Amino acid sequence: MKIKSFNVIPNLPENLRALEELSTNMWFTWNWDAIMMFVGINEDLWHRSHRNPKWILGTLPPERLEELSRDGNFLGKLEEIKNKFENYISYKDTWFAKNRQEQDKDIHIAYFSMEYGIGEGLPIYSGGLGMLSGDHLKSSSDLGMPLVGMGLLYKKGYVQQVLNRDNWQVERYPENDWYNMPVQIVKDAGGRPLRVEVDLAGEKVLVGVWQVPVGRTSLYLLDTDLPENTAQARLITEQLYGGDRENRIRQEIVLGIGGARALEAMGIAPTVFHINEGHSAFLLFERIRQLMRNRGLTYPEAREVVWASSVFTTHTPVMAGNEHFDFELVKRYLESYSRELGLTFPEFLEIGKEEHTSMGFCMTVVAMRLCAFLNGVSLLHRDVSRDMWHKLWPQLPRYEIPIEGITNGVHTCSWISHEHHKLYSKYLAGGANGIPDSCDFSRMGEIGDREMWDTHMVRKVKLVKLVRERLKRQHQRLGADPTVLAEAEKVLNPEYLTIGFARRFATYKRATLFMRDLERLLELVTDEKMPVQFVFAGKAHQADTHGKEFIKAVAKLSMDPRFKSRIIFVEDYNMNVARYMVQGVDVWMNNPIRPLEASGTSGMKAAANGVMNLSVLDGWWEEGYSPDLGWAIGGTEAYNSDEERDYVESESIYNLLKKVIAPLYYERGEDGLPHDWIKMMKVCVQKLIPHFNTNRMLREYYEKFYVHAHRSSRKFAENSRVAEFAGWRRKLADNWPQVKVVTDQFKPEMELHSGATLPVRAVVWLGDLKPEDVDVQLHVGTAGGESVFKEGRSVSMTQEARMGDSYVYKGEILCRKSGRHDFAVRVIGRHPDAVNALMPLLIKWSDD
């Protein structure tokens, strides 16, 4: 039987046509007036659709549409929101427009990620990586930055969580109805759905492309669930992080190679490519292949172009969390592809090996070898990443390893409550076009304590209402009797100190740490004068049995009669629950094992709403923490054992809550307000919002990476310039075994006074290289061992003379302070077109 399909779209009256665009551009997700308009159309459908207005419009009966078309109030609101949207889209005076230089006006960035959290109605996300990717796109739209996203279209939305009678997580995978979601099919010049092809172990798989408008920018999603494909190929994009290792490599080939081909087929020619985590690193090989085919470049030449114009962000602070593929799996899928690059398969494998003895092909290593711009997602994560990947730069001091730190942020407008947005806009001179940029947060003190507290309590009451409703639905599903349902309607008290904890239930996040001493915990929650209550939410990965055990433990404790009503686990954590929690709790608790939280962003979302953080000094909190705006669990010291660490940090939680946090919260003035608490709330907002947001993060990426990558793209648009640069790199590698450097007759005085200058001369042999090919540097600092510097800096030396087949260089050390000084001389490559002299690393240290 041959089944044929057709698509029906809503028949909107002429004066409601604006709803079509407003329902399909994800701009509505961070605009309260637009959200309330859609809620007003049908609130029940709004919730049932998981905040998907396109589905609502397709579900409404014609009579309701006709009714709306005659409703003057609704038409007035629609006109107002349509104008607001059109003004946003056409706004010319964006940050990018004001700050770009003439040479960068044609910059275009492509951002690749495995998941995107933009709104609940587009369920292609699982956790923090997706939230960050979604916020990255939203901020690029706000700033007017020319950027497009590339991801995968998953047939099944990420897991919905239900708890069974034993409090065990059970997963449900609802299928996405893409024809009623805010996506649209991309078509080719002939009006047919666009298709690109990828080879997967000899099978030609077709990939379709869908577009999601996100404000001024777009997200493109790749889809293999096409009737032209085999049943197996259609399953590739069935589920985020689903399937076995073979399906994972198939997904990542589709994302990386298919994504690059989709951009080319759409006529989109980015000058900068940003890889968010290693999943899409195959993109780099495809870019090399395209340059070889389209411009006639050799592999080394094309590699230089790709390297100089690519950005890679790593998120994983543990080695096991980085994507590795078995060599045989890589061979099955990429051996023939490697030949298109002019490489033997062993040469191809070397690019992804951590070390020559490595037993896996590591996507992070591929990205680090083929991208000139690398970063971790906080300053601490930068340092952790440098330690992890020192093996790729074994001769460099750790502080010079070319991995920068760009701390994550959040898209404030997406996570701040409407009530707080309105409050800040009223007092802080701005707020209309992006909270972080347009509000003067130094004026937080001008907001009255009563207004600040009342705003917070409105959100707290809404959180309690949401928790009660969801808990009641959970009990109804499990067949609970009326007495249990009545109890669910009484859990939590808006007046009590409320601690929030919501995130992925990975074991290193230690969701059960607060349960380590149940007697101490019981004291806190039953204290008659200063009671404390906890709200928990989060999902475990479907394969993470230990994470599910943590959920079971917390949910079981919430059913314990001693803790009932004071400890609540909220089922099926999603973006909407997250919003209510970060906007409605008093304190946001985060207690990962340091330093395994690369950045973390949920605490930033809480801070935007005046919620203080109680957190381990990990990720962003090490940068954000100060005693006047939150609390630190433990310190930065190393522990002798896991047992000692958990004991010390759980005790820290109990002691801070009982002796510091609860007394501060419950200390009230004659007017009933906790003035000292409110003072901390204001400082929290004033100091944290301006920095920990994605608008700042995007500006940092732009200034540190994107501009330089773009300019390299433009330089290397000339084949002759690429050939010259690749020739220099080849000459450098060929001659490097002959490079040698020794310090010449170094005889310092027995003692030098601070302020003195110590001359240093070095003799350098360069083989067939010229002095202009290299940089001879004097590295001065403090040695941590015989051949490793703990800290230091490099200064270029000056060529002084030619001596036979060697060159003489001179430099000097200014002795700024007393004590021991260490130095060495080294040679590295130098070229005006090299955006990073330490990648790939060729370095020769003085050996005398």
Side-chain angles (χ1 to χ4, degrees), residues 87-277:
N87 289 339
Y88 174 87
I89 296 297
S90 61
Y91 185 66
K92 302 298 183 187
D93 199 26
T94 63
W95 178 89
F96 175 76
K98 289 187 290 188
N99 289 275
R100 72 182 181 192
Q101 295 187 25
E102 182 64 24
Q103 63 182 316
D104 305 318
K105 66 180 181 180
D106 60 340
I107 188 173
H108 197 181
I109 304 128
Y111 180 85
F112 279 60
S113 184
M114 197 77 162
E115 53 175 298
Y116 291 86
I118 299 173
E120 298 93 298
L122 188 67
I124 55 170
Y125 62 90
S126 69
L129 182 72
M131 295 300 103
L132 175 76
S133 302
D135 285 4
H136 198 108
L137 294 190
K138 291 174 183 178
S139 274
S140 69
S141 173
D142 286 347
L143 296 177
M145 201 173 291
L147 180 148
V148 296
M150 183 65 70
L152 297 179
L153 186 92
Y154 300 104
K155 182 178 180 181
K156 294 182 178 179
Y158 193 67
V159 57
Q160 289 184 0
Q161 175 197 60
V162 294
L163 301 187
N164 64 19
R165 289 183 177 277
D166 296 323
N167 295 304
W168 189 256
Q169 173 180 298
V170 178
E171 294 86 22
R172 291 178 178 172
Y173 299 96
E175 287 197 7
N176 291 320
D177 176 10
W178 292 115
Y179 291 93
N180 279 308
M181 287 186 165
V183 298
Q184 53 203 43
I185 294 173
V186 175
K187 296 182 179 179
D188 62 20
R192 297 175 298 274
L194 182 70
R195 298 284 187 263
V196 295
E197 186 180 274
V198 293
D199 184 300
L200 294 174
E203 180 183 2
K204 303 299 182 185
V205 175
L206 294 178
V207 181
V209 186
W210 300 70
Q211 181 186 15
V212 182
V214 184
R216 295 185 183 91
T217 190
S218 289
L219 167 63
Y220 294 99
L221 300 172
L222 307 173
D223 178 22
T224 66
D225 185 26
L226 307 175
E228 303 97 309
N229 287 331
T230 64
Q232 185 182 18
R234 296 184 70 163
L235 293 177
I236 295 170
T237 56
E238 181 179 53
Q239 186 181 327
L240 173 60
Y241 304 133
D244 55 14
R245 296 304 298 163
E246 182 158 11
N247 196 63
R248 177 67 71 86
I249 198 171
R250 288 159 70 87
Q251 283 189 339
E252 296 188 9
I253 290 171
V254 168
L255 176 58
I257 296 176
R261 291 178 182 176
L263 289 173
E264 185 179 49
M266 290 186 288
I268 299 173
T271 57
V272 179
F273 287 78
H274 186 164
I275 295 171
N276 190 42
E277 197 55 290

Side-chain angles (χ1 to χ4, degrees), residues 295 304-305 308 712-718 721-722 725 833:
R295 290 175 50 185
E304 295 293 355
V305 178
S712 291
S713 272
R714 287 292 167 250
K715 285 179 186 176
F716 288 149
E718 303 171 25
R721 193 161 184 173
V722 181
F725 183 70
D833 288 345

Side-chain angles (χ1 to χ4, degrees), residues 740-745 760-766 771 774 776 797-811 825:
K740 181 180 179 183
V741 55
V742 298
T743 51
D744 182 37
Q745 300 177 335
V760 177
R761 295 174 77 245
V763 180
V764 181
W765 288 264
L766 295 175
V774 298
V776 179
M797 299 178 74
T798 305
Q799 184 198 341
E800 187 178 46
R802 179 80 186 257
M803 189 171 67
D805 59 350
S806 65
Y807 298 88
V808 179
Y809 284 78
K810 68 175 182 178
V825 178

Side-chain angles (χ1 to χ4, degrees), residues 480-600:
D481 61 61
T483 59
V484 174
L485 299 181
E487 287 178 4
E489 293 181 350
K490 298 175 183 176
V491 301
L492 302 181
N493 185 327
E495 300 297 328
Y496 290 174
L497 173 62
T498 305
I499 315 298
F501 181 104
R503 51 190 40 86
R504 185 166 52 90
F505 262 63
T507 50
Y508 79 86
K509 294 177 185 285
R510 296 189 298 177
T512 57
L513 186 65
F514 84 117
M515 298 168 50
R516 200 173 187 279
D517 187 333
L518 291 182
E519 293 305 314
R520 296 286 305 275
L521 182 61
L522 191 60
E523 284 180 32
L524 287 170
V525 301
T526 58
D527 190 300
E528 292 186 4
K529 293 182 178 179
M530 300 187 299
V532 181
Q533 57 193 9
F534 296 82
V535 181
F536 278 75
K539 298 173 181 174
H541 186 277
Q542 54 265 40
D544 184 2
T545 303
H546 295 299
K548 291 182 181 181
E549 291 286 359
F550 277 25
I551 289 173
K552 180 178 180 180
V554 175
K556 184 178 179 183
L557 186 69
S558 72
M559 308 301 290
D560 187 319
R562 297 174 298 166
F563 296 96
K564 260 188 176 179
S565 302
R566 302 287 171 85
I567 296 175
I568 304 296
F569 184 87
V570 182
E571 186 181 71
D572 198 26
Y573 183 51
N574 61 21
M575 287 181 75
N576 194 41
V577 172
R579 233 179 254 111
Y580 272 85
M581 288 187 65
V582 298
Q583 294 167 2
V585 299
D586 297 303
V587 175
W588 194 257
M589 186 170 70
N590 187 27
N591 42 247
I593 298 171
R594 188 180 191 270
L596 301 186
E597 187 85 283
S599 175

Side-chain angles (χ1 to χ4, degrees), residues 10-29:
N11 185 18
L12 297 175
E14 187 62 35
N15 59 357
L16 296 183
R17 287 288 166 86
L19 286 172
E20 191 171 336
E21 185 173 18
L22 291 172
S23 68
T24 54
N25 191 308
M26 298 301 283
W27 171 86
F28 79 84
T29 63

